[in-house]
Amino acid sequence: MRIDGRQNHQLRPVEISLNVQRYPEGSLLFRAGGTQILIAVSVEDGVRDFLRGSGLGWVTAEYAMHPRANKERQARDSRRGKIDGRVQEIQRLIGRALRAAVVPKQLGERTIVVDCDVLDADGGTRTACVTGGFIAMALALDPLCKDGTVGTGVLREAIAAISVGLVNDEVLLDLCYREDSSAEVDLNVVGTCTQGIVEVQGTSEDAPIPRAQFNALLDVALLGIPQLIDVQMATLKDANVNLTRLLAS
Amino acid sequence: MRIDGRQNHQLRPVEISLNVQRYPEGSLLFRAGGTQILIAVSVEDGVRDFLRGSGLGWVTAEYAMHPRANKERQARDSRRGKIDGRVQEIQRLIGRALRAAVVPKQLGERTIVVDCDVLDADGGTRTACVTGGFIAMALALDPLCKDGTVGTGVLREAIAAISVGLVNDEVLLDLCYREDSSAEVDLNVVGTCTQGIVEVQGTSEDAPIPRAQFNALLDVALLGIPQLIDVQMATLKDANVNLTRLLAS
Amino acid sequence: MRIDGRQNHQLRPVEISLNVQRYPEGSLLFRAGGTQILIAVSVEDGVRDFLRGSGLGWVTAEYAMHPRANKERQARDSRRGKIDGRVQEIQRLIGRALRAAVVPKQLGERTIVVDCDVLDADGGTRTACVTGGFIAMALALDPLCKDGTVGTGVLREAIAAISVGLVNDEVLLDLCYREDSSAEVDLNVVGTCTQGIVEVQGTSEDAPIPRAQFNALLDVALLGIPQLIDVQMATLKDANVNLTRLLAS
Amino acid sequence: MRIDGRQNHQLRPVEISLNVQRYPEGSLLFRAGGTQILIAVSVEDGVRDFLRGSGLGWVTAEYAMHPRANKERQARDSRRGKIDGRVQEIQRLIGRALRAAVVPKQLGERTIVVDCDVLDADGGTRTACVTGGFIAMALALDPLCKDGTVGTGVLREAIAAISVGLVNDEVLLDLCYREDSSAEVDLNVVGTCTQGIVEVQGTSEDAPIPRAQFNALLDVALLGIPQLIDVQMATLKDANVNLTRLLAS
Amino acid sequence: MRIDGRQNHQLRPVEISLNVQRYPEGSLLFRAGGTQILIAVSVEDGVRDFLRGSGLGWVTAEYAMHPRANKERQARDSRRGKIDGRVQEIQRLIGRALRAAVVPKQLGERTIVVDCDVLDADGGTRTACVTGGFIAMALALDPLCKDGTVGTGVLREAIAAISVGLVNDEVLLDLCYREDSSAEVDLNVVGTCTQGIVEVQGTSEDAPIPRAQFNALLDVALLGIPQLIDVQMATLKDANVNLTRLLAS
Amino acid sequence: MRIDGRQNHQLRPVEISLNVQRYPEGSLLFRAGGTQILIAVSVEDGVRDFLRGSGLGWVTAEYAMHPRANKERQARDSRRGKIDGRVQEIQRLIGRALRAAVVPKQLGERTIVVDCDVLDADGGTRTACVTGGFIAMALALDPLCKDGTVGTGVLREAIAAISVGLVNDEVLLDLCYREDSSAEVDLNVVGTCTQGIVEVQGTSEDAPIPRAQFNALLDVALLGIPQLIDVQMATLKDANVNLTRLLAS
């Protein structure tokens, strides 16, 4: 049995509080076990230079750690005057994943900025940002879709993300921090409810892993993702979001 | 009557959620009307060079705006690579005020860092940081006082802060953003329940104001502060903080 | 008697040398006791984005310490690559104070930049910048007022600033560095010759101070300010500045 | 047939010039088709704080684009004063991959720095850095292994990396820049000659891809890697590197 | 005899490999003894603000040290976040020198950027950048001169640069690093084949030097420069550059 | 005749005010025509790493432009967050020149920092910093030499610097800004009263200059320098500096 009593292929409980801030077009607090992230989605007119005049929209993400998201206080990036390499890598993954969930033509020349502020870090923060970020984007786009600002089907399909790892040769889904620290392999997967793959990013921390084990890890991740998409859909329905209008498929 | 239906000398309702983060020694969400601030207190061993060997502790604050604390999204300081001048000014005021609430000798060579992250800005953010910061410091110091890490009476006395302003020649307590924008004078006061003054910072935005009017503003602020200290005391009692042990007076 | 032989409510002698630089529209060296500041006023066409098209002018200040303004050499901000928090706080106060002395409509869409370089720091540098800055602004605006570039009455009224503090329970006016270091309270006041208040910024370094004592401090400051305004007026008259044309009141 | 006349699963020709710089412990110029990278390996005594006293070594990589590695000249990171997010992400991948090729205990408390300077970018730069970086590390460690500075078997096993992508629904190995620009999926794989997986990083640029297609991509990548390892081994043998002593397996 | 067996007034052997990169308009690897520099010339449309509308072109240079150009690895400027003072000084000299070789009117409103990356530093890097930079500029401008983009005679005349120094009271031409380290005087001279002087920059590291000795140093440098210009001309002829069209004299 | 009525080989009048700041060990205001520079010399214990334990001292200079040293206001380096390349080049020249005036062994492990703040720029600022910097160093070292902190003969010999240029084919000494702007050649020379050369830095802005003309320029500069050294000696004698003790020769 796992540190926190879960089965190997069991997700941590997810809790989502909507509209926790006044101003963002979409805002929520996403909790998965001990991980807690504040997500705020802004929809702004205009796009970067390379897309101007194309009629296409863009999605970008910013990821920041609260100084006390961890046991020891860490200096803010703003005080150190530069952005940490790990932060850069993570926010690029989140941006790519959420960009893949949007139909750029239906968005039009608008930029969606997804601000992810990690309040508590207990493993799986980047995947939580993707899963929660999709919900916050849907919240932000629903009224814009309703009033015709953005086109129907602006969201291609629901996506979610989860981590999976190998700990003592067992495949564990949704690693908490302590499990992650001792994992031989750590795989982050972004996917859809029909096992479509949006992004895979995995690293063996020790010995290279055989192909069969890699497949087993990917299998477990792709079984976890639809469960998270169920949570997304239930949350959005409770919030009276018109999913038929919003989703392309 | 005021925009939000309050009397001229009436505070906005205050709501405080304790322990919203896992790791900080003290953590809370402080709401005053539409203003919402996440406050996290860290207690770290050691002090800056100039205090080393003195046996005295130190308090410092960091203030940061969430990119969507306001209507328009603003770039993070970390992405602009430097800290805004207004932010510097505010966090220095918060640090000075909370430092005045601590007895350095009882704290010993420790540094209290008060992280203030503004999630929603609707006026009065710096005073909310002081008022909420005092509560979070008390939460953080209570167990350290209990186990003897810090001395009894490590907190000199309770302090709180409030803004007061002159709008259309009327003295208004606890300005919201729209009131603040049209105020002729804006005064921030940090004080105690016995009308002791810790810090006063006031600016006439337009014509200089007569001494009498300044006094009237200060009077109203000093009447508001004890009400906030009542809230602080009630909150800490509910949380079973031993105030007798913690407070010097 | 005080360290330097002054009475408690006595100002330090002020010396002002005008036009010490070739290019600034207004330039002077301001000495108050051991404090010495080089002040240069530039008047530039144009204003920041938020005022463009408004017909209104703007005033901003920059404050910098010479590396040997103090006993120990300090690194320049430019070499450390960022601006000190204390410097930010001070230059914002100077900017606000001098902005309050100008009638934005009469200035038109111009920006006054007041560069304050502290050559010797012996207490009271921020207030010296305000008092000297007003004179330098008048020097710079006089010819522009004469030739009609800016409107008559572009300066609302004379302002000056002074510090006042509590040392060993006595109220001392215009603290020098050594007095400032041991002051229990330090109050900076910007005001007019008719006791109008432009800005008040005061901090108790130790125990909170009672209202009565705060009032006593403010009283003494407001008695000092008119003496400084006398110096300003005498200096400007000696320089043949047409005050009737320049001042709105 | 492909733009450059290759078969779908065919690698670009690889050319390696050894010892192109005087001072690095290992140095080479790695060319794969139109991509050209200067790789320099430094072996330094000491490790970062978190490893001090552990007896373990560390590997880190820096990746930089020459301003004219592409058609348009790009500003250097050093002139822009910050490191590009893409650069951060890439150099972290290179560092992780090469770290996995080293046995930290045999390296001892030393740090290997792998400098990768892209002189010409024609796709596949990050994988070229990994493949060439392994050779340069072997060149650098061979004499240290010989004289006993580092332990035998300091390199766990040979690793190499390659990209694979889906272009017009066909699986192409080792994408050049033009192929990469139009790829629907881009997968970078770091692996061993026995199909062990060190790192997988793949992104669908458009629609999510089915599991079967992902598997096909991975298959092709894992067939390409052993061919690159053959090139590595041949190059090192020509350079008289003692692979038996150097490799743990 | 000198450390490396040369006569006092003898240059180190120069080797030049042309077109080592794909994209720059002119690119070469310049070796003089143990010094090795990668030079890339870009020709871009447009000039800085102060030249806009003048019809005149501009030349600028960037100089960067590879982290292992020296025995000890040095941090990249981009990682330290600022450009070294020595680097600034050197790249300004290179830019001035190569600017003097161009006829701005014939270049038209274009900017030539000369990127100099030092791969191995063994003395004389700044002069190597000037000598090699002239060749790379000629390579870049030849086709533009042919197709009429830039005017004929866009290069005023050939220039080259060399260092000369006083070591143990002997005048040595083209110092290597070890000689440079022990030189009493170090003089860098940029000149033409007719002993015209473009730039002289010399420093006595110890006692001031008499005028006669300074003259002797300059004499030797001016004899070395024409030999380097012979190498430049031979290299460009081998590359079929039309020097008659390119050179104004 | 020249713009300002001088003969071709005539210096501008020099005025020096000593001890204009309270704290620096040596401080003065140096005026040469319209150029005005505030120079402050600090003598600090300790040296940089590479000299620690050597028993030798060091000299370094910082050069900064006041924002209104020129007609148009320029942003401060500290606000732009980086140091201008021209500033870097100039302060390195000043540091090298003044370092050559000091006997490191007699200074002992101390660092002299020469702060040069240009208040008015009218040509020749870098040479004024050297000439004035020598005087300020002597002022600072005199009492330290007297009390035995530094050795006798800590200053090798007096040095001064001057610019010389070619304007309309005439050799002009000590160029003012307008002359400098139209000069074909600009040569800065640091030397001694016996025509010893410490540093020469010259650039032809247009066509390369013949050797004969270069010699003529250097001749004129070397005749100007002794006149400046006369001013230095007279100033120091007036200030009762013991030159016999201070100067090695």
Side-chain angles (χ1 to χ4, degrees):
Chain A
M1 216 208 271
R2 295 166 70 176
I3 302 168
D4 52 9
R6 278 185 290 154
Q7 304 292 318
N8 282 0
H9 300 181
Q10 190 182 345
L11 295 170
R12 292 183 286 183
V14 169
E15 280 178 61
I16 299 165
S17 310
L18 301 186
N19 303 318
V20 293
Q21 287 181 281
R22 289 164 67 98
Y23 296 115
E25 281 70 46
S27 136
L28 55 83
L29 207 51
F30 186 95
R31 285 192 198 82
T35 285
Q36 180 179 213
I37 300 174
L38 177 67
I39 300 178
V41 164
S42 305
V43 184
E44 300 180 330
D45 286 336
V47 283
R48 293 190 195 164
D49 287 356
F50 75 97
L51 282 180
R52 211 160 287 158
S54 68
L56 303 176
W58 186 247
V59 179
T60 187
E62 295 199 358
Y63 173 96
M65 296 289 273
H66 185 280
R68 279 312 294 280
N70 291 292
K71 282 218 174 118
E72 302 293 320
R73 187 175 185 280
Q74 295 175 311
R76 291 170 191 264
D77 278 345
S78 57
R79 270 56 178 186
R80 294 186 301 118
K82 59 177 179 178
I83 304 173
D84 189 66
R86 179 183 161 274
V87 163
Q88 294 261 30
E89 188 178 26
I90 290 174
Q91 69 189 8
R92 287 173 60 84
L93 182 148
I94 301 168
R96 276 196 304 268
L98 293 176
R99 205 146 53 231
V102 165
V103 180
K105 197 169 175 165
Q106 298 306 87
L107 180 55
E109 292 200 12
R110 281 172 196 83
T111 299
I112 296 177
V113 187
V114 184
D115 281 295
C116 305
D117 285 80
V118 180
L119 304 189
D120 291 306
D122 187 22
T125 60
R126 75 190 74 185
T127 54
C129 291
V130 171
T131 303
F134 179 80
I135 303 174
M137 287 206 309
L139 285 175
L141 291 171
D142 184 48
L144 298 177
C145 201
K146 187 177 182 188
D147 70 13
T149 307
V150 304
T152 59
V154 64
L155 291 174
R156 183 198 307 273
E157 73 187 297
I159 65 161
I162 199 67
S163 77
V164 62
L166 210 58
V167 183
N168 298 327
D169 274 320
E170 297 205 45
V171 176
L172 304 187
L173 183 68
D174 192 13
L175 308 182
C176 68
Y177 176 74
R178 281 177 58 197
E179 291 171 340
D180 188 65
S181 304
S182 60
E184 296 121 40
V185 189
D186 183 14
L187 189 71
N188 293 292
V189 182
V190 185
T192 69
C193 63
T194 57
Q195 307 223 331
I197 293 173
V198 172
E199 171 126 5
V200 170
Q201 201 271 317
T203 307
S204 74
E205 299 292 331
D206 196 16
I209 56 163
R211 174 66 185 272
Q213 228 164 4
F214 181 86
N215 285 352
L217 285 163
L218 192 49
D219 286 343
V220 171
L222 291 176
L223 288 173
I225 286 168
Q227 299 173 51
L228 290 166
I229 291 177
D230 286 349
V231 174
Q232 291 175 330
M233 292 302 107
T235 304
L236 290 169
K237 273 175 201 149
D238 282 358
N240 293 317
V241 167
N242 186 333
L243 290 166
T244 316
R245 189 171 55 204
L246 212 51
L247 288 169
S249 59
Chain B
M1 215 207 270
R2 293 166 72 176
I3 300 169
D4 53 8
R6 277 185 291 156
Q7 303 292 318
N8 282 359
H9 300 181
Q10 189 183 344
L11 294 170
R12 292 183 287 183
V14 169
E15 280 176 60
I16 299 166
S17 311
L18 300 186
N19 303 319
V20 291
Q21 287 180 281
R22 289 165 67 99
Y23 296 115
E25 280 70 48
S27 135
L28 55 83
L29 206 52
F30 186 95
R31 285 192 198 83
T35 284
Q36 179 179 214
I37 300 174
L38 176 67
I39 300 178
V41 164
S42 305
V43 183
E44 302 180 328
D45 286 337
V47 285
R48 295 190 194 164
D49 287 356
F50 75 96
L51 282 179
R52 211 160 287 159
S54 68
L56 303 176
W58 187 248
V59 179
T60 186
E62 295 200 0
Y63 173 96
M65 296 289 272
H66 185 280
R68 281 310 295 278
N70 292 291
K71 283 219 173 118
E72 303 292 320
R73 187 175 186 280
Q74 295 175 311
R76 290 170 193 264
D77 278 345
S78 57
R79 269 58 177 184
R80 293 187 301 119
K82 59 177 181 180
I83 305 173
D84 190 66
R86 179 182 161 274
V87 163
Q88 294 262 31
E89 187 177 27
I90 290 174
Q91 71 188 9
R92 286 173 60 85
L93 182 147
I94 301 167
R96 276 196 305 267
L98 293 175
R99 204 145 56 232
V102 164
V103 179
K105 199 172 174 161
Q106 298 305 88
L107 180 56
E109 292 200 11
R110 280 172 197 84
T111 299
I112 297 176
V113 186
V114 184
D115 282 296
C116 305
D117 285 79
V118 179
L119 304 190
D120 292 305
D122 187 23
T125 60
R126 77 190 72 186
T127 53
C129 292
V130 171
T131 303
F134 179 80
I135 303 172
M137 287 206 311
L139 286 175
L141 292 171
D142 184 48
L144 298 176
C145 202
K146 188 178 181 187
D147 71 13
T149 307
V150 305
T152 58
V154 63
L155 291 174
R156 183 198 306 273
E157 73 185 299
I159 65 159
I162 199 65
S163 77
V164 63
L166 210 58
V167 182
N168 298 326
D169 273 319
E170 297 203 44
V171 176
L172 304 187
L173 183 66
D174 192 13
L175 307 182
C176 67
Y177 176 74
R178 281 177 58 196
E179 290 170 341
D180 188 65
S181 303
S182 59
E184 296 121 39
V185 189
D186 182 16
L187 190 70
N188 293 292
V189 182
V190 185
T192 68
C193 65
T194 57
Q195 309 224 328
I197 293 173
V198 172
E199 171 126 5
V200 171
Q201 200 270 318
T203 307
S204 74
E205 299 292 332
D206 195 19
I209 56 162
R211 174 67 184 273
Q213 229 163 4
F214 181 86
N215 285 352
L217 286 162
L218 192 49
D219 287 342
V220 171
L222 292 175
L223 288 172
I225 286 168
Q227 298 174 50
L228 290 166
I229 291 177
D230 286 348
V231 173
Q232 291 175 330
M233 293 300 108
T235 304
L236 290 168
K237 273 174 201 150
D238 282 359
N240 293 316
V241 167
N242 186 332
L243 290 166
T244 315
R245 188 173 56 204
L246 211 53
L247 288 169
S249 60
Chain C
M1 214 208 272
R2 294 165 71 177
I3 300 167
D4 52 9
R6 278 185 290 154
Q7 303 293 318
N8 282 1
H9 300 181
Q10 190 183 344
L11 294 170
R12 292 182 287 183
V14 169
E15 279 177 62
I16 299 164
S17 310
L18 301 185
N19 304 317
V20 293
Q21 286 180 283
R22 287 164 69 98
Y23 296 116
E25 281 70 47
S27 136
L28 55 83
L29 207 51
F30 186 95
R31 284 192 199 83
T35 285
Q36 181 180 212
I37 300 174
L38 177 66
I39 300 177
V41 165
S42 305
V43 183
E44 301 180 329
D45 286 337
V47 284
R48 293 186 196 169
D49 287 357
F50 75 97
L51 281 180
R52 213 160 286 158
S54 69
L56 303 177
W58 187 248
V59 179
T60 187
E62 295 199 358
Y63 173 96
M65 295 291 271
H66 184 279
R68 280 310 295 280
N70 292 292
K71 282 220 172 116
E72 302 294 320
R73 188 175 184 280
Q74 296 174 310
R76 292 171 191 263
D77 278 345
S78 57
R79 269 59 177 186
R80 294 187 299 120
K82 60 178 178 177
I83 304 174
D84 189 67
R86 180 182 161 274
V87 163
Q88 294 260 32
E89 187 178 28
I90 291 175
Q91 69 188 9
R92 286 173 59 86
L93 181 147
I94 300 168
R96 276 197 305 267
L98 293 175
R99 205 146 53 233
V102 165
V103 179
K105 197 170 174 165
Q106 297 306 87
L107 181 54
E109 290 199 13
R110 281 172 196 85
T111 300
I112 296 177
V113 186
V114 184
D115 282 295
C116 304
D117 284 81
V118 179
L119 304 189
D120 292 306
D122 187 23
T125 60
R126 75 190 73 186
T127 53
C129 291
V130 171
T131 304
F134 179 80
I135 303 173
M137 286 207 310
L139 286 175
L141 291 170
D142 184 49
L144 298 176
C145 203
K146 187 178 180 188
D147 71 13
T149 307
V150 305
T152 58
V154 64
L155 292 174
R156 183 197 308 272
E157 73 186 297
I159 65 159
I162 200 66
S163 76
V164 62
L166 210 57
V167 182
N168 298 327
D169 274 320
E170 298 203 43
V171 176
L172 303 187
L173 183 67
D174 192 12
L175 307 182
C176 68
Y177 175 74
R178 282 177 58 196
E179 291 170 341
D180 188 65
S181 304
S182 59
E184 296 121 40
V185 189
D186 182 16
L187 189 71
N188 292 292
V189 182
V190 185
T192 68
C193 64
T194 56
Q195 309 225 329
I197 293 173
V198 172
E199 171 126 3
V200 170
Q201 200 272 317
T203 308
S204 74
E205 299 292 332
D206 197 18
I209 56 163
R211 174 68 184 271
Q213 228 163 4
F214 181 85
N215 286 352
L217 284 162
L218 192 49
D219 287 343
V220 171
L222 291 175
L223 287 172
I225 286 169
Q227 299 173 49
L228 290 166
I229 290 177
D230 286 349
V231 174
Q232 290 175 330
M233 294 300 108
T235 304
L236 289 168
K237 273 174 200 151
D238 281 359
N240 293 316
V241 167
N242 186 333
L243 290 165
T244 316
R245 190 173 53 205
L246 212 52
L247 288 168
S249 59
Chain D
M1 214 208 271
R2 293 165 71 176
I3 299 168
D4 52 9
R6 277 185 290 155
Q7 303 292 318
N8 282 0
H9 300 181
Q10 190 182 344
L11 294 170
R12 291 183 287 183
V14 168
E15 280 176 61
I16 299 165
S17 311
L18 301 185
N19 303 318
V20 293
Q21 286 181 283
R22 287 165 69 99
Y23 296 114
E25 281 69 48
S27 135
L28 55 83
L29 206 52
F30 187 94
R31 283 191 199 84
T35 285
Q36 181 179 214
I37 300 175
L38 176 67
I39 300 178
V41 164
S42 305
V43 183
E44 302 180 328
D45 286 337
V47 285
R48 295 187 194 167
D49 287 357
F50 75 97
L51 283 180
R52 213 161 287 159
S54 68
L56 303 177
W58 187 247
V59 179
T60 187
E62 295 199 359
Y63 173 95
M65 296 290 271
H66 185 280
R68 280 311 294 279
N70 291 292
K71 283 219 172 119
E72 304 292 320
R73 188 176 184 279
Q74 296 174 310
R76 292 169 191 265
D77 278 345
S78 57
R79 268 59 178 186
R80 293 187 300 121
K82 60 177 179 180
I83 303 174
D84 190 66
R86 180 182 160 276
V87 163
Q88 295 261 32
E89 187 178 28
I90 290 175
Q91 70 188 8
R92 286 172 61 85
L93 182 148
I94 301 168
R96 277 196 305 265
L98 294 175
R99 204 145 56 232
V102 164
V103 179
K105 199 172 174 163
Q106 298 305 89
L107 181 55
E109 291 200 11
R110 281 171 197 85
T111 300
I112 296 177
V113 186
V114 184
D115 281 296
C116 304
D117 285 80
V118 180
L119 305 189
D120 292 305
D122 187 23
T125 60
R126 75 189 73 185
T127 54
C129 291
V130 171
T131 304
F134 179 80
I135 303 174
M137 287 206 310
L139 286 176
L141 292 170
D142 183 49
L144 298 176
C145 201
K146 188 179 181 187
D147 71 14
T149 308
V150 305
T152 59
V154 64
L155 291 174
R156 183 198 304 273
E157 74 185 297
I159 64 159
I162 199 65
S163 77
V164 62
L166 210 58
V167 182
N168 298 326
D169 272 319
E170 298 202 43
V171 176
L172 304 187
L173 182 68
D174 192 13
L175 307 183
C176 68
Y177 175 74
R178 282 177 56 196
E179 291 171 341
D180 188 66
S181 304
S182 59
E184 295 122 40
V185 189
D186 182 16
L187 189 70
N188 293 292
V189 181
V190 185
T192 69
C193 64
T194 57
Q195 308 225 329
I197 293 173
V198 173
E199 170 126 6
V200 170
Q201 200 271 319
T203 308
S204 74
E205 298 293 332
D206 196 17
I209 56 163
R211 175 65 186 273
Q213 227 164 6
F214 182 85
N215 286 352
L217 285 163
L218 192 49
D219 287 342
V220 171
L222 291 175
L223 288 173
I225 286 168
Q227 299 174 50
L228 290 166
I229 291 177
D230 286 348
V231 173
Q232 290 175 330
M233 293 301 109
T235 303
L236 290 169
K237 274 175 200 151
D238 281 358
N240 294 315
V241 166
N242 186 333
L243 290 166
T244 316
R245 189 173 53 207
L246 212 51
L247 288 168
S249 60
Chain E
M1 217 208 268
R2 295 164 71 176
I3 301 167
D4 52 10
R6 277 185 290 155
Q7 303 293 318
N8 283 0
H9 300 180
Q10 191 183 343
L11 295 169
R12 292 184 285 183
V14 169
E15 279 177 61
I16 299 164
S17 310
L18 301 185
N19 304 319
V20 293
Q21 287 180 282
R22 288 165 68 100
Y23 296 116
E25 281 69 47
S27 137
L28 55 84
L29 206 52
F30 186 94
R31 284 191 198 85
T35 285
Q36 180 179 213
I37 300 173
L38 176 67
I39 300 177
V41 165
S42 304
V43 183
E44 301 180 327
D45 286 336
V47 284
R48 295 187 194 166
D49 287 356
F50 75 95
L51 282 179
R52 212 161 287 159
S54 68
L56 303 177
W58 187 248
V59 179
T60 187
E62 294 199 359
Y63 173 97
M65 296 290 271
H66 185 279
R68 279 311 294 279
N70 292 292
K71 283 219 173 117
E72 302 294 320
R73 187 175 185 280
Q74 294 175 310
R76 292 170 191 263
D77 278 345
S78 57
R79 270 57 177 185
R80 293 187 300 120
K82 60 178 179 177
I83 305 174
D84 189 67
R86 180 182 161 274
V87 164
Q88 294 261 31
E89 187 177 28
I90 290 175
Q91 70 189 9
R92 286 173 59 85
L93 182 148
I94 301 167
R96 276 197 305 267
L98 293 175
R99 204 145 56 232
V102 165
V103 180
K105 198 172 174 164
Q106 298 305 89
L107 180 55
E109 291 199 12
R110 282 172 195 83
T111 299
I112 296 176
V113 186
V114 184
D115 281 295
C116 304
D117 286 80
V118 180
L119 304 189
D120 292 306
D122 187 22
T125 59
R126 76 190 73 185
T127 54
C129 291
V130 172
T131 304
F134 179 81
I135 303 174
M137 288 207 309
L139 286 175
L141 291 171
D142 184 49
L144 298 176
C145 203
K146 188 176 181 187
D147 71 12
T149 308
V150 305
T152 59
V154 63
L155 291 175
R156 184 199 306 274
E157 74 186 296
I159 65 159
I162 199 67
S163 77
V164 62
L166 210 57
V167 182
N168 298 327
D169 273 321
E170 297 203 44
V171 176
L172 303 187
L173 183 66
D174 192 13
L175 307 182
C176 68
Y177 176 74
R178 283 177 56 196
E179 291 171 340
D180 188 66
S181 304
S182 59
E184 296 122 39
V185 189
D186 183 16
L187 190 69
N188 292 293
V189 182
V190 185
T192 68
C193 64
T194 57
Q195 309 226 328
I197 294 173
V198 172
E199 172 126 4
V200 170
Q201 200 271 318
T203 308
S204 73
E205 299 293 331
D206 195 19
I209 55 162
R211 173 67 185 271
Q213 229 163 3
F214 181 85
N215 286 351
L217 285 163
L218 192 48
D219 287 343
V220 171
L222 291 175
L223 288 172
I225 286 169
Q227 298 173 50
L228 290 166
I229 291 178
D230 286 348
V231 174
Q232 290 176 329
M233 293 301 108
T235 304
L236 290 169
K237 274 174 200 150
D238 281 358
N240 293 317
V241 167
N242 186 333
L243 290 165
T244 315
R245 190 172 54 205
L246 212 52
L247 289 168
S249 60
Chain F
M1 216 207 271
R2 292 165 73 176
I3 300 167
D4 53 9
R6 278 185 290 156
Q7 302 293 318
N8 283 0
H9 301 181
Q10 191 183 345
L11 295 170
R12 291 184 285 183
V14 169
E15 279 177 62
I16 300 165
S17 310
L18 300 185
N19 304 318
V20 292
Q21 287 180 281
R22 287 165 69 101
Y23 297 114
E25 281 70 47
S27 135
L28 55 82
L29 206 53
F30 187 94
R31 283 192 199 85
T35 285
Q36 181 180 212
I37 301 174
L38 176 67
I39 300 177
V41 165
S42 305
V43 183
E44 302 180 329
D45 285 338
V47 285
R48 296 187 194 167
D49 287 355
F50 74 96
L51 282 179
R52 213 161 285 158
S54 68
L56 304 177
W58 187 249
V59 179
T60 187
E62 294 200 359
Y63 173 96
M65 296 290 272
H66 185 280
R68 280 309 295 279
N70 291 292
K71 283 219 172 119
E72 302 293 320
R73 189 176 184 280
Q74 295 175 310
R76 292 170 190 263
D77 277 346
S78 57
R79 268 60 176 186
R80 293 186 301 121
K82 59 178 180 178
I83 304 173
D84 190 65
R86 179 182 161 274
V87 163
Q88 295 261 32
E89 187 178 29
I90 290 175
Q91 71 188 9
R92 286 173 61 84
L93 182 148
I94 301 168
R96 278 196 303 268
L98 293 175
R99 205 145 55 231
V102 165
V103 179
K105 198 170 176 165
Q106 298 305 89
L107 181 55
E109 291 200 12
R110 280 171 197 86
T111 300
I112 297 176
V113 187
V114 184
D115 281 296
C116 304
D117 285 80
V118 180
L119 304 189
D120 292 305
D122 188 22
T125 59
R126 76 190 73 185
T127 54
C129 291
V130 172
T131 304
F134 179 80
I135 303 174
M137 289 207 308
L139 286 175
L141 292 170
D142 184 49
L144 299 176
C145 202
K146 188 177 181 186
D147 71 14
T149 307
V150 304
T152 59
V154 64
L155 292 174
R156 184 199 305 273
E157 73 186 298
I159 64 158
I162 200 66
S163 77
V164 62
L166 210 57
V167 182
N168 298 326
D169 273 319
E170 297 203 44
V171 176
L172 304 188
L173 183 67
D174 193 13
L175 307 183
C176 68
Y177 175 74
R178 282 177 57 197
E179 291 171 340
D180 189 65
S181 305
S182 59
E184 296 122 38
V185 189
D186 182 15
L187 191 69
N188 292 293
V189 182
V190 185
T192 68
C193 65
T194 58
Q195 309 225 328
I197 294 173
V198 172
E199 171 127 4
V200 171
Q201 201 271 320
T203 308
S204 74
E205 298 293 331
D206 195 18
I209 56 161
R211 174 68 185 273
Q213 228 162 4
F214 182 85
N215 286 351
L217 285 162
L218 191 49
D219 287 342
V220 171
L222 291 175
L223 288 172
I225 287 169
Q227 298 174 49
L228 290 166
I229 292 179
D230 286 348
V231 173
Q232 290 175 329
M233 294 300 108
T235 303
L236 290 168
K237 273 175 200 151
D238 281 359
N240 293 317
V241 167
N242 186 333
L243 290 166
T244 315
R245 190 172 54 205
L246 212 52
L247 288 168
S249 59

